Amino acid sequence: MKKVRAFLIVLLAAGALGADWKTAEPGWQYEFPRDHHAHRDFKTEWWYFTGNVFDGEGHRLGYELTFFRQGITPHAERDPNSSRFIVDDLKFAHFALTDVSKQHFRFEQKTSRGAFGEAGFDDGKRLAWIDNWTLASNGDDAFDLMASNQEGVIHLHLRAAKSPVVHGENGISVKASASGHASHYYSIPRLQTMGEFFVDGKSHPLRGESWFDHEWATGQLAEGQAGWDWICLQWQDGTELMLYQMRLKNGDPDSSSSGTWIDSNGLATHLRSADFRMTPIAFWKSKANGAQYPIGWRITLPGQQTEFVVRAALEDQELALGPITYWEGAIDASGTRDGK
C-alpha cells in the first residue's frame, strides 16, 4: 500500500470575507488546463504537490512542494500603472523532504513580493515560481518541478496517470455549515514521477508517484474551527482516497468533513462525514511550540467495506514556520477491503 501525504493545518488563515473578493459558489464549471492557472479574483490559492520517490537503491523520499498566493488587493481594483513595490499578491512557497530510511526531515520556506519578477504566477509555461523554485506546465497533463534546500536541488517531471478529480458537490468543497466557507478544489490523484536529486554535483535518479492538489477560495475556517486533518492514499490496485476532517476548537470533528473515493477507472464518489470514521490513535508533541498533533488514525469506510490504520513514516515532520505552522509528511497505511 502506498501513501502520499498526511496534512494537518494548525493555522492557515484565508483572510476575512469581503465584497470585493469572489467566494466559492455552487456551479463552477471546471476546465483544464485553464484551472491549473491562478484565480486572482479569490483571496487564497495553493498548488500542492506531494509524493513518494525512490532512488536507484530503493531509498524512499517523501516530498512536498507548495506554492501559495495570498491576495492583498482584489484583482478588479489593481492599477497596472502602480509602483512595482505595491504588493497585490503575497507569494510564498514551502519545500520539505522526508528521508524515511535515515529518519530525517528538512523543510524550507521562501517568501517574496515579486517586485522584479523574481516571483509570480502565470508567465508562459510557469504556473508559479519563487527564485529557482518553479512549477511549470508541460502540456495539458504534465508538470515540471524544481526546488532546492541545503542538501541539494531536486528536479521532478510528472505526468498524469489519471484525469483531474473535482472534490465536493456541485463544484464546491464545503468546509463549514455557514455560508461562504467553501473552496473550489480538484486533484490529479496519481502522477507518474521521474527526476533527479543533485547533491554535491552528483545526480541521483528518482522515480515514484505524486499527488497534485489545487484549491482556491476566499473564506474557509469558520468560527469555532481550529484547522483540519487531511490524508490522501494511493492504493496498489489503482484506487485512491482523499479525506479531510475539519477540527473544532474543542477537538471534535466538524460535520462538514468530507472526502472522495476514486476507483481504478477514475470514477469519483463523494463521501460525506457520515460515510467515514477517522479516529486519531497516535499523537506527537512539538518541541518547537508544544502543539500536539495526531499522527495516526484508524479509518473505516462502511460503503467501501474498507478499514485501515494510518501511521506516520516519521513522527517529527512539522514545518515550524512561525505564523504558519503545520505537520505534513509521509505516512503508511494497511488494512482490509472486502475482507482482503
Side-chain angles (χ1 to χ4, degrees), residues 94-124:
H94 298 164
F95 174 50
L97 280 176
T98 303
D99 188 322
V100 178
S101 62
K102 295 182 179 178
Q103 292 286 283
H104 177 69
F105 179 71
R106 185 183 294 276
F107 61 91
E108 308 282 344
Q109 176 177 239
K110 285 182 178 285
T111 61
S112 177
R113 294 185 297 180
F116 295 95
E118 71 278 13
F121 307 97
D122 288 336
D123 175 20

PDB file of all heavy atoms in Angstrom, residues 94-124:
ATOM      1  N   HIS A  94       6.636  26.426   0.167  1.00  0.00           N
ATOM      2  CA  HIS A  94       7.235  25.508   1.127  1.00  0.00           C
ATOM      3  C   HIS A  94       7.768  24.283   0.393  1.00  0.00           C
ATOM      4  O   HIS A  94       7.117  23.776  -0.525  1.00  0.00           O
ATOM      5  CB  HIS A  94       6.200  25.057   2.166  1.00  0.00           C
ATOM      6  CG  HIS A  94       5.653  26.166   2.995  1.00  0.00           C
ATOM      7  ND1 HIS A  94       4.505  26.034   3.749  1.00  0.00           N
ATOM      8  CD2 HIS A  94       6.098  27.431   3.202  1.00  0.00           C
ATOM      9  CE1 HIS A  94       4.262  27.168   4.384  1.00  0.00           C
ATOM     10  NE2 HIS A  94       5.216  28.026   4.062  1.00  0.00           N
ATOM     11  N   PHE A  95       8.932  23.839   0.829  1.00  0.00           N
ATOM     12  CA  PHE A  95       9.541  22.636   0.275  1.00  0.00           C
ATOM     13  C   PHE A  95      10.033  21.781   1.429  1.00  0.00           C
ATOM     14  O   PHE A  95      10.715  22.280   2.335  1.00  0.00           O
ATOM     15  CB  PHE A  95      10.706  23.007  -0.649  1.00  0.00           C
ATOM     16  CG  PHE A  95      11.501  21.830  -1.162  1.00  0.00           C
ATOM     17  CD1 PHE A  95      10.863  20.740  -1.728  1.00  0.00           C
ATOM     18  CD2 PHE A  95      12.887  21.822  -1.089  1.00  0.00           C
ATOM     19  CE1 PHE A  95      11.584  19.657  -2.208  1.00  0.00           C
ATOM     20  CE2 PHE A  95      13.619  20.755  -1.565  1.00  0.00           C
ATOM     21  CZ  PHE A  95      12.969  19.664  -2.125  1.00  0.00           C
ATOM     22  N   ALA A  96       9.652  20.511   1.440  1.00  0.00           N
ATOM     23  CA  ALA A  96      10.051  19.609   2.520  1.00  0.00           C
ATOM     24  C   ALA A  96      10.421  18.252   1.950  1.00  0.00           C
ATOM     25  O   ALA A  96       9.834  17.794   0.959  1.00  0.00           O
ATOM     26  CB  ALA A  96       8.925  19.450   3.537  1.00  0.00           C
ATOM     27  N   LEU A  97      11.409  17.619   2.579  1.00  0.00           N
ATOM     28  CA  LEU A  97      11.845  16.273   2.209  1.00  0.00           C
ATOM     29  C   LEU A  97      11.915  15.400   3.453  1.00  0.00           C
ATOM     30  O   LEU A  97      12.484  15.809   4.470  1.00  0.00           O
ATOM     31  CB  LEU A  97      13.224  16.303   1.550  1.00  0.00           C
ATOM     32  CG  LEU A  97      13.325  16.693   0.077  1.00  0.00           C
ATOM     33  CD1 LEU A  97      14.784  16.742  -0.349  1.00  0.00           C
ATOM     34  CD2 LEU A  97      12.538  15.740  -0.809  1.00  0.00           C
ATOM     35  N   THR A  98      11.346  14.214   3.355  1.00  0.00           N
ATOM     36  CA  THR A  98      11.447  13.215   4.415  1.00  0.00           C
ATOM     37  C   THR A  98      12.280  12.051   3.902  1.00  0.00           C
ATOM     38  O   THR A  98      11.867  11.352   2.967  1.00  0.00           O
ATOM     39  CB  THR A  98      10.057  12.702   4.821  1.00  0.00           C
ATOM     40  OG1 THR A  98       9.247  13.787   5.231  1.00  0.00           O
ATOM     41  CG2 THR A  98      10.170  11.697   5.958  1.00  0.00           C
ATOM     42  N   ASP A  99      13.456  11.872   4.477  1.00  0.00           N
ATOM     43  CA  ASP A  99      14.281  10.708   4.158  1.00  0.00           C
ATOM     44  C   ASP A  99      13.861   9.602   5.119  1.00  0.00           C
ATOM     45  O   ASP A  99      14.242   9.596   6.290  1.00  0.00           O
ATOM     46  CB  ASP A  99      15.765  11.046   4.327  1.00  0.00           C
ATOM     47  CG  ASP A  99      16.676   9.938   3.816  1.00  0.00           C
ATOM     48  OD1 ASP A  99      16.332   8.756   4.004  1.00  0.00           O
ATOM     49  OD2 ASP A  99      17.738  10.240   3.251  1.00  0.00           O
ATOM     50  N   VAL A 100      13.038   8.677   4.628  1.00  0.00           N
ATOM     51  CA  VAL A 100      12.438   7.679   5.504  1.00  0.00           C
ATOM     52  C   VAL A 100      13.484   6.743   6.082  1.00  0.00           C
ATOM     53  O   VAL A 100      13.448   6.397   7.269  1.00  0.00           O
ATOM     54  CB  VAL A 100      11.349   6.897   4.750  1.00  0.00           C
ATOM     55  CG1 VAL A 100      10.751   5.804   5.639  1.00  0.00           C
ATOM     56  CG2 VAL A 100      10.251   7.849   4.272  1.00  0.00           C
ATOM     57  N   SER A 101      14.454   6.323   5.275  1.00  0.00           N
ATOM     58  CA  SER A 101      15.452   5.365   5.757  1.00  0.00           C
ATOM     59  C   SER A 101      16.350   5.983   6.824  1.00  0.00           C
ATOM     60  O   SER A 101      16.734   5.314   7.785  1.00  0.00           O
ATOM     61  CB  SER A 101      16.288   4.840   4.591  1.00  0.00           C
ATOM     62  OG  SER A 101      17.001   5.899   3.959  1.00  0.00           O
ATOM     63  N   LYS A 102      16.679   7.263   6.664  1.00  0.00           N
ATOM     64  CA  LYS A 102      17.531   7.939   7.649  1.00  0.00           C
ATOM     65  C   LYS A 102      16.736   8.601   8.764  1.00  0.00           C
ATOM     66  O   LYS A 102      17.333   9.165   9.687  1.00  0.00           O
ATOM     67  CB  LYS A 102      18.395   8.987   6.944  1.00  0.00           C
ATOM     68  CG  LYS A 102      19.397   8.409   5.956  1.00  0.00           C
ATOM     69  CD  LYS A 102      20.234   9.516   5.335  1.00  0.00           C
ATOM     70  CE  LYS A 102      21.252   8.944   4.361  1.00  0.00           C
ATOM     71  NZ  LYS A 102      22.060  10.025   3.711  1.00  0.00           N
ATOM     72  N   GLN A 103      15.381   8.536   8.663  1.00  0.00           N
ATOM     73  CA  GLN A 103      14.511   9.179   9.647  1.00  0.00           C
ATOM     74  C   GLN A 103      14.897  10.645   9.846  1.00  0.00           C
ATOM     75  O   GLN A 103      15.091  11.141  10.954  1.00  0.00           O
ATOM     76  CB  GLN A 103      14.557   8.427  10.987  1.00  0.00           C
ATOM     77  CG  GLN A 103      13.926   7.043  10.918  1.00  0.00           C
ATOM     78  CD  GLN A 103      12.400   7.108  10.848  1.00  0.00           C
ATOM     79  OE1 GLN A 103      11.726   7.349  11.855  1.00  0.00           O
ATOM     80  NE2 GLN A 103      11.853   6.878   9.650  1.00  0.00           N
ATOM     81  N   HIS A 104      14.974  11.339   8.711  1.00  0.00           N
ATOM     82  CA  HIS A 104      15.423  12.735   8.703  1.00  0.00           C
ATOM     83  C   HIS A 104      14.416  13.584   7.932  1.00  0.00           C
ATOM     84  O   HIS A 104      13.964  13.192   6.850  1.00  0.00           O
ATOM     85  CB  HIS A 104      16.802  12.836   8.055  1.00  0.00           C
ATOM     86  CG  HIS A 104      17.315  14.241   7.928  1.00  0.00           C
ATOM     87  ND1 HIS A 104      17.679  15.009   9.007  1.00  0.00           N
ATOM     88  CD2 HIS A 104      17.521  15.027   6.834  1.00  0.00           C
ATOM     89  CE1 HIS A 104      18.090  16.199   8.598  1.00  0.00           C
ATOM     90  NE2 HIS A 104      17.995  16.231   7.273  1.00  0.00           N
ATOM     91  N   PHE A 105      14.071  14.752   8.479  1.00  0.00           N
ATOM     92  CA  PHE A 105      13.113  15.653   7.857  1.00  0.00           C
ATOM     93  C   PHE A 105      13.714  17.050   7.779  1.00  0.00           C
ATOM     94  O   PHE A 105      14.280  17.555   8.745  1.00  0.00           O
ATOM     95  CB  PHE A 105      11.823  15.693   8.690  1.00  0.00           C
ATOM     96  CG  PHE A 105      10.768  16.619   8.152  1.00  0.00           C
ATOM     97  CD1 PHE A 105      10.070  16.313   6.995  1.00  0.00           C
ATOM     98  CD2 PHE A 105      10.446  17.795   8.820  1.00  0.00           C
ATOM     99  CE1 PHE A 105       9.087  17.153   6.505  1.00  0.00           C
ATOM    100  CE2 PHE A 105       9.458  18.646   8.334  1.00  0.00           C
ATOM    101  CZ  PHE A 105       8.777  18.324   7.181  1.00  0.00           C
ATOM    102  N   ARG A 106      13.594  17.665   6.597  1.00  0.00           N
ATOM    103  CA  ARG A 106      14.104  19.013   6.401  1.00  0.00           C
ATOM    104  C   ARG A 106      13.073  19.830   5.620  1.00  0.00           C
ATOM    105  O   ARG A 106      12.435  19.318   4.704  1.00  0.00           O
ATOM    106  CB  ARG A 106      15.428  18.992   5.622  1.00  0.00           C
ATOM    107  CG  ARG A 106      16.070  20.378   5.480  1.00  0.00           C
ATOM    108  CD  ARG A 106      17.326  20.301   4.636  1.00  0.00           C
ATOM    109  NE  ARG A 106      18.364  19.531   5.297  1.00  0.00           N
ATOM    110  CZ  ARG A 106      19.208  20.040   6.197  1.00  0.00           C
ATOM    111  NH1 ARG A 106      19.112  21.305   6.565  1.00  0.00           N
ATOM    112  NH2 ARG A 106      20.134  19.284   6.730  1.00  0.00           N
ATOM    113  N   PHE A 107      12.899  21.097   6.017  1.00  0.00           N
ATOM    114  CA  PHE A 107      11.931  21.948   5.326  1.00  0.00           C
ATOM    115  C   PHE A 107      12.522  23.330   5.100  1.00  0.00           C
ATOM    116  O   PHE A 107      13.423  23.777   5.813  1.00  0.00           O
ATOM    117  CB  PHE A 107      10.620  22.058   6.115  1.00  0.00           C
ATOM    118  CG  PHE A 107      10.775  22.673   7.490  1.00  0.00           C
ATOM    119  CD1 PHE A 107      10.646  24.046   7.672  1.00  0.00           C
ATOM    120  CD2 PHE A 107      11.037  21.884   8.605  1.00  0.00           C
ATOM    121  CE1 PHE A 107      10.786  24.621   8.926  1.00  0.00           C
ATOM    122  CE2 PHE A 107      11.179  22.447   9.865  1.00  0.00           C
ATOM    123  CZ  PHE A 107      11.051  23.824  10.030  1.00  0.00           C
ATOM    124  N   GLU A 108      12.019  23.994   4.062  1.00  0.00           N
ATOM    125  CA  GLU A 108      12.459  25.336   3.696  1.00  0.00           C
ATOM    126  C   GLU A 108      11.231  26.175   3.329  1.00  0.00           C
ATOM    127  O   GLU A 108      10.196  25.646   2.917  1.00  0.00           O
ATOM    128  CB  GLU A 108      13.403  25.294   2.483  1.00  0.00           C
ATOM    129  CG  GLU A 108      14.575  24.343   2.603  1.00  0.00           C
ATOM    130  CD  GLU A 108      15.698  24.890   3.473  1.00  0.00           C
ATOM    131  OE1 GLU A 108      15.698  26.119   3.726  1.00  0.00           O
ATOM    132  OE2 GLU A 108      16.558  24.088   3.882  1.00  0.00           O
ATOM    133  N   GLN A 109      11.374  27.488   3.439  1.00  0.00           N
ATOM    134  CA  GLN A 109      10.317  28.412   3.047  1.00  0.00           C
ATOM    135  C   GLN A 109      10.914  29.566   2.258  1.00  0.00           C
ATOM    136  O   GLN A 109      12.018  30.031   2.556  1.00  0.00           O
ATOM    137  CB  GLN A 109       9.590  28.974   4.269  1.00  0.00           C
ATOM    138  CG  GLN A 109       8.540  30.031   3.925  1.00  0.00           C
ATOM    139  CD  GLN A 109       7.778  30.539   5.137  1.00  0.00           C
ATOM    140  OE1 GLN A 109       6.569  30.424   5.192  1.00  0.00           O
ATOM    141  NE2 GLN A 109       8.475  31.084   6.110  1.00  0.00           N
ATOM    142  N   LYS A 110      10.185  30.027   1.257  1.00  0.00           N
ATOM    143  CA  LYS A 110      10.539  31.243   0.533  1.00  0.00           C
ATOM    144  C   LYS A 110       9.327  32.168   0.506  1.00  0.00           C
ATOM    145  O   LYS A 110       8.191  31.716   0.321  1.00  0.00           O
ATOM    146  CB  LYS A 110      10.969  30.927  -0.910  1.00  0.00           C
ATOM    147  CG  LYS A 110      12.361  30.322  -1.048  1.00  0.00           C
ATOM    148  CD  LYS A 110      12.693  30.090  -2.516  1.00  0.00           C
ATOM    149  CE  LYS A 110      14.097  29.532  -2.702  1.00  0.00           C
ATOM    150  NZ  LYS A 110      15.130  30.571  -2.494  1.00  0.00           N
ATOM    151  N   THR A 111       9.561  33.460   0.685  1.00  0.00           N
ATOM    152  CA  THR A 111       8.521  34.474   0.552  1.00  0.00           C
ATOM    153  C   THR A 111       9.054  35.593  -0.323  1.00  0.00           C
ATOM    154  O   THR A 111      10.258  35.848  -0.361  1.00  0.00           O
ATOM    155  CB  THR A 111       8.109  35.052   1.918  1.00  0.00           C
ATOM    156  OG1 THR A 111       9.252  35.678   2.540  1.00  0.00           O
ATOM    157  CG2 THR A 111       7.582  33.960   2.843  1.00  0.00           C
ATOM    158  N   SER A 112       8.140  36.265  -1.029  1.00  0.00           N
ATOM    159  CA  SER A 112       8.586  37.312  -1.938  1.00  0.00           C
ATOM    160  C   SER A 112       7.435  38.227  -2.314  1.00  0.00           C
ATOM    161  O   SER A 112       6.281  37.790  -2.409  1.00  0.00           O
ATOM    162  CB  SER A 112       9.182  36.693  -3.211  1.00  0.00           C
ATOM    163  OG  SER A 112       9.558  37.696  -4.133  1.00  0.00           O
ATOM    164  N   ARG A 113       7.762  39.512  -2.546  1.00  0.00           N
ATOM    165  CA  ARG A 113       6.798  40.443  -3.128  1.00  0.00           C
ATOM    166  C   ARG A 113       6.771  40.302  -4.648  1.00  0.00           C
ATOM    167  O   ARG A 113       5.801  40.689  -5.294  1.00  0.00           O
ATOM    168  CB  ARG A 113       7.152  41.885  -2.767  1.00  0.00           C
ATOM    169  CG  ARG A 113       7.038  42.188  -1.283  1.00  0.00           C
ATOM    170  CD  ARG A 113       7.279  43.649  -1.010  1.00  0.00           C
ATOM    171  NE  ARG A 113       8.634  44.066  -1.385  1.00  0.00           N
ATOM    172  CZ  ARG A 113       9.086  45.314  -1.242  1.00  0.00           C
ATOM    173  NH1 ARG A 113       8.284  46.251  -0.765  1.00  0.00           N
ATOM    174  NH2 ARG A 113      10.323  45.621  -1.585  1.00  0.00           N
ATOM    175  N   GLY A 114       7.864  39.806  -5.220  1.00  0.00           N
ATOM    176  CA  GLY A 114       7.936  39.646  -6.667  1.00  0.00           C
ATOM    177  C   GLY A 114       8.053  40.962  -7.410  1.00  0.00           C
ATOM    178  O   GLY A 114       7.644  41.061  -8.574  1.00  0.00           O
ATOM    179  N   ALA A 115       8.640  41.980  -6.771  1.00  0.00           N
ATOM    180  CA  ALA A 115       8.697  43.315  -7.369  1.00  0.00           C
ATOM    181  C   ALA A 115       9.476  43.338  -8.678  1.00  0.00           C
ATOM    182  O   ALA A 115       9.189  44.146  -9.567  1.00  0.00           O
ATOM    183  CB  ALA A 115       9.303  44.302  -6.372  1.00  0.00           C
ATOM    184  N   PHE A 116      10.476  42.483  -8.815  1.00  0.00           N
ATOM    185  CA  PHE A 116      11.321  42.484 -10.012  1.00  0.00           C
ATOM    186  C   PHE A 116      11.157  41.199 -10.824  1.00  0.00           C
ATOM    187  O   PHE A 116      12.062  40.811 -11.556  1.00  0.00           O
ATOM    188  CB  PHE A 116      12.779  42.689  -9.610  1.00  0.00           C
ATOM    189  CG  PHE A 116      13.048  44.039  -8.992  1.00  0.00           C
ATOM    190  CD1 PHE A 116      13.048  44.193  -7.618  1.00  0.00           C
ATOM    191  CD2 PHE A 116      13.253  45.153  -9.786  1.00  0.00           C
ATOM    192  CE1 PHE A 116      13.283  45.434  -7.042  1.00  0.00           C
ATOM    193  CE2 PHE A 116      13.484  46.395  -9.222  1.00  0.00           C
ATOM    194  CZ  PHE A 116      13.501  46.541  -7.846  1.00  0.00           C
ATOM    195  N   GLY A 117      10.017  40.541 -10.656  1.00  0.00           N
ATOM    196  CA  GLY A 117       9.747  39.340 -11.422  1.00  0.00           C
ATOM    197  C   GLY A 117      10.390  38.089 -10.865  1.00  0.00           C
ATOM    198  O   GLY A 117      10.345  37.037 -11.513  1.00  0.00           O
ATOM    199  N   GLU A 118      10.987  38.182  -9.667  1.00  0.00           N
ATOM    200  CA  GLU A 118      11.630  37.008  -9.083  1.00  0.00           C
ATOM    201  C   GLU A 118      10.620  36.014  -8.523  1.00  0.00           C
ATOM    202  O   GLU A 118      10.979  34.892  -8.142  1.00  0.00           O
ATOM    203  CB  GLU A 118      12.620  37.421  -7.991  1.00  0.00           C
ATOM    204  CG  GLU A 118      12.007  37.959  -6.706  1.00  0.00           C
ATOM    205  CD  GLU A 118      11.623  39.428  -6.777  1.00  0.00           C
ATOM    206  OE1 GLU A 118      11.594  40.003  -7.889  1.00  0.00           O
ATOM    207  OE2 GLU A 118      11.342  40.014  -5.718  1.00  0.00           O
ATOM    208  N   ALA A 119       9.356  36.414  -8.455  1.00  0.00           N
ATOM    209  CA  ALA A 119       8.285  35.521  -8.015  1.00  0.00           C
ATOM    210  C   ALA A 119       6.998  35.946  -8.697  1.00  0.00           C
ATOM    211  O   ALA A 119       6.807  37.128  -9.006  1.00  0.00           O
ATOM    212  CB  ALA A 119       8.118  35.582  -6.497  1.00  0.00           C
ATOM    213  N   GLY A 120       6.125  34.990  -8.948  1.00  0.00           N
ATOM    214  CA  GLY A 120       4.862  35.347  -9.573  1.00  0.00           C
ATOM    215  C   GLY A 120       4.078  34.138 -10.019  1.00  0.00           C
ATOM    216  O   GLY A 120       4.388  32.989  -9.661  1.00  0.00           O
ATOM    217  N   PHE A 121       3.073  34.405 -10.834  1.00  0.00           N
ATOM    218  CA  PHE A 121       2.170  33.372 -11.312  1.00  0.00           C
ATOM    219  C   PHE A 121       1.869  33.617 -12.796  1.00  0.00           C
ATOM    220  O   PHE A 121       1.741  34.760 -13.239  1.00  0.00           O
ATOM    221  CB  PHE A 121       0.853  33.388 -10.519  1.00  0.00           C
ATOM    222  CG  PHE A 121       1.058  33.327  -9.034  1.00  0.00           C
ATOM    223  CD1 PHE A 121       1.045  34.494  -8.277  1.00  0.00           C
ATOM    224  CD2 PHE A 121       1.274  32.122  -8.398  1.00  0.00           C
ATOM    225  CE1 PHE A 121       1.241  34.452  -6.907  1.00  0.00           C
ATOM    226  CE2 PHE A 121       1.477  32.064  -7.028  1.00  0.00           C
ATOM    227  CZ  PHE A 121       1.464  33.239  -6.285  1.00  0.00           C
ATOM    228  N   ASP A 122       1.759  32.551 -13.544  1.00  0.00           N
ATOM    229  CA  ASP A 122       1.320  32.582 -14.939  1.00  0.00           C
ATOM    230  C   ASP A 122       2.221  33.424 -15.832  1.00  0.00           C
ATOM    231  O   ASP A 122       1.883  34.532 -16.249  1.00  0.00           O
ATOM    232  CB  ASP A 122      -0.128  33.093 -15.033  1.00  0.00           C
ATOM    233  CG  ASP A 122      -1.128  32.073 -14.511  1.00  0.00           C
ATOM    234  OD1 ASP A 122      -0.796  30.874 -14.519  1.00  0.00           O
ATOM    235  OD2 ASP A 122      -2.229  32.477 -14.114  1.00  0.00           O
ATOM    236  N   ASP A 123       3.376  32.881 -16.117  1.00  0.00           N
ATOM    237  CA  ASP A 123       4.318  33.513 -17.037  1.00  0.00           C
ATOM    238  C   ASP A 123       4.721  32.462 -18.060  1.00  0.00           C
ATOM    239  O   ASP A 123       5.671  31.707 -17.861  1.00  0.00           O
ATOM    240  CB  ASP A 123       5.544  34.029 -16.280  1.00  0.00           C
ATOM    241  CG  ASP A 123       6.620  34.581 -17.203  1.00  0.00           C
ATOM    242  OD1 ASP A 123       6.282  34.907 -18.353  1.00  0.00           O
ATOM    243  OD2 ASP A 123       7.784  34.656 -16.783  1.00  0.00           O
ATOM    244  N   GLY A 124       3.990  32.407 -19.157  1.00  0.00           N
ATOM    245  CA  GLY A 124       4.269  31.362 -20.136  1.00  0.00           C
ATOM    246  C   GLY A 124       3.967  29.992 -19.560  1.00  0.00           C
ATOM    247  O   GLY A 124       2.883  29.744 -19.052  1.00  0.00           O
TER     248      GLY A 124
END
